[in-house]
Amino acid sequence: MASQTVQGARYRLLGRSGLRVSRLALGTMTFGQAPWGCHAGAAAEILDRYLDWGGNLIDTADHYAGGESERMLGAMLAERGARDKMVIVDKFSLGAGETGANAVGNGRKTMVASLDASLKRLGTDYIDLYTLHLWDGVTPVEEVMRALDDAMRAGKIRYVALSDVTGWYAARAQTLAEWRGYAPVCALQLEYSLLERGLELEFPSLCDSLGMGMLAWAPLCNGLLAGKHRRPEDGGLAAGRVKAVAESGRFDRLTERNWTIIAELERVAAALDRPMAQVAINWVANRPGVGAVILGATRAAQISETLGALDFAIPDELLADLERVSALPKIFPYRFLERMQPVLQPR
């Protein structure tokens, strides 16, 4: 994957496309999102810090704050005259609060309505990277890829991406696009962090083989890797989104394994004299297949800190420690195939 340095931010080509994106992206799920997000003033300051750093990749979705994230982002970019310099990632599938049988999902009717509504809220006539937000498990992949290709030919989108899909689905979508001459998938957006490494079983090799770049979301696992949360006996969770979700019983990340990983990350960060958040993001940004890491923030100070995540290298011995503590056990067929590789070598 080619890269270059521009205005302090390193840029990469996304997948096999000619689209240059900064390695750190700004996520806007927090924009306008009550009660744990940020208001317009804080969002503007976050955006300004990101633009000053030299970033050009901004992620949003119709679902974020019921469409308010898109409205805020569009207005702020217009005020700064920055729209055409930015690569906007937008997503459909979950809707912006509309009702009706086709308000959500992956079907053509849903996609067309969602795209037009997003363009209106953003105040733009095109979206750079339009993304299926979440696989609905029912819409035929042929319908999805044809609808996305039609949107690109109509000039409403520039590139195509998929988010939160299985490996086989992404492979089928890309193969179908190649076979029928549809717009190819140039990126996959997936959760990736020291606490969530499940995608490593298939997606890095899939992306390398089929020409897709990975956009990693939740590199801090909702803030667990930022150092502000502790085990119950050591002070517990800090106020905010994680605590609210955990108290509702819908947060499954507070495991003994994860607390062990967090403790090791804290040790490595101290050895490097770097914030835990920077080390966690640096680790993700330098994993195979990763094109960009999406950063979220509710305060300007947070984005200023995390934008420093590429300013250093983690020594090999400390990388090995992080690898050891966070590695997942290999399951079938990966464990079996790895064990059988020697049998397949020429004698």
Side-chain angles (χ1 to χ4, degrees):
M1 187 177 293
S3 65
Q4 63 187 111
T5 300
V6 181
Q7 299 175 2
R10 280 176 290 180
Y11 287 66
R12 282 184 170 175
L13 294 175
L14 189 57
R16 287 192 193 135
S17 75
L19 185 64
R20 294 182 177 87
V21 299
S22 46
R23 292 181 64 196
L24 299 178
L26 176 61
T28 66
M29 186 172 70
T30 58
F31 287 14
Q33 180 68 62
W36 47 263
C38 58
H39 54 72
E45 192 173 357
I46 290 168
L47 176 62
D48 286 337
R49 297 282 179 94
Y50 181 69
L51 296 179
D52 289 345
W53 177 76
N56 79 332
L57 184 60
I58 302 180
D59 178 79
T60 189
D62 59 359
H63 183 65
Y64 295 164
E68 184 61 21
S69 169
E70 291 175 320
R71 281 187 285 267
M72 289 172 62
L73 176 60
M76 289 188 292
L77 291 178
E79 289 171 5
R80 290 155 180 77
R83 166 61 188 100
D84 288 337
K85 296 178 182 178
M86 295 296 105
V87 175
I88 293 179
V89 183
D90 208 341
K91 302 185 284 293
F92 79 97
S93 293
L94 296 171
E98 302 89 349
T99 59
N102 291 293
V104 297
N106 300 162
R108 174 187 286 271
K109 180 177 176 63
T110 303
M111 191 214 79
V112 171
S114 298
L115 175 55
D116 287 344
S118 290
L119 290 170
K120 184 176 181 179
R121 286 189 291 265
L122 284 165
T124 186
D125 57 4
Y126 71 99
I127 289 169
D128 300 281
L129 184 62
Y130 201 51
T131 308
L132 180 147
H133 199 161
L134 181 71
W135 180 44
D136 66 8
V138 294
T139 305
V141 67
E142 294 86 354
E143 179 177 340
V144 171
M145 295 308 294
R146 176 60 190 269
L148 288 168
D149 184 69
D150 286 346
M152 191 186 76
R153 293 177 187 274
K156 294 183 178 183
I157 66 176
R158 300 289 187 262
Y159 296 91
V160 167
L162 304 173
S163 173
D164 303 332
V165 297
T166 60
W168 73 261
Y169 184 92
R172 180 164 172 77
Q174 188 72 313
T175 301
L176 183 70
E178 292 173 348
W179 179 43
R180 294 190 174 174
Y182 294 163
V185 179
C186 77
L188 296 177
Q189 190 171 135
L190 303 162
E191 182 178 2
Y192 199 7
S193 73
L194 282 163
L195 303 186
E196 182 51 78
R197 297 182 58 181
L199 63 79
E200 291 178 354
L201 293 172
E202 286 194 349
F203 283 98
S205 56
L206 171 69
C207 289
D208 180 65
S209 176
L210 296 183
M212 297 176 282
M214 272 197 288
L215 304 179
W217 62 268
L220 299 180
C221 197
N222 302 117
L224 278 179
L225 295 171
K228 63 181 181 179
H229 300 291
R230 299 296 180 196
R231 296 172 186 259
E233 60 269 26
D234 296 327
L237 302 177
R241 183 187 180 200
V242 168
K243 186 174 183 179
V245 177
E247 290 175 347
S248 73
R250 294 181 290 112
F251 194 67
D252 61 356
R253 302 306 177 92
L254 305 179
T255 64
E256 185 59 32
R257 170 187 178 272
N258 286 352
W259 286 122
T260 300
I261 295 170
I262 291 167
E264 184 65 15
L265 173 64
E266 186 171 19
R267 185 192 70 81
V268 169
L272 293 171
D273 194 25
R274 289 279 179 173
M276 289 173 62
Q278 286 189 357
V279 177
I281 292 166
N282 181 293
W283 181 87
V284 175
N286 289 288
R287 300 298 290 176
V290 174
V293 180
I294 301 171
L295 309 179
T298 56
R299 296 177 287 109
Q302 291 175 325
I303 198 69
S304 293
E305 177 179 289
T306 53
L307 286 172
L310 302 182
D311 295 342
F312 64 98
I314 303 175
D316 289 344
E317 62 273 17
L318 294 180
L319 277 175
D321 291 338
L322 292 174
E323 173 70 25
R324 171 187 52 77
V325 74
S326 64
L328 292 173
K330 286 198 170 96
I331 58 176
F332 183 86
Y334 310 99
R335 181 181 67 252
F336 174 77
L337 292 172
E338 184 177 276
R339 189 175 72 244
M340 293 299 294
Q341 287 306 302
V343 179
L344 301 175
Q345 301 308 309
R347 293 179 176 79

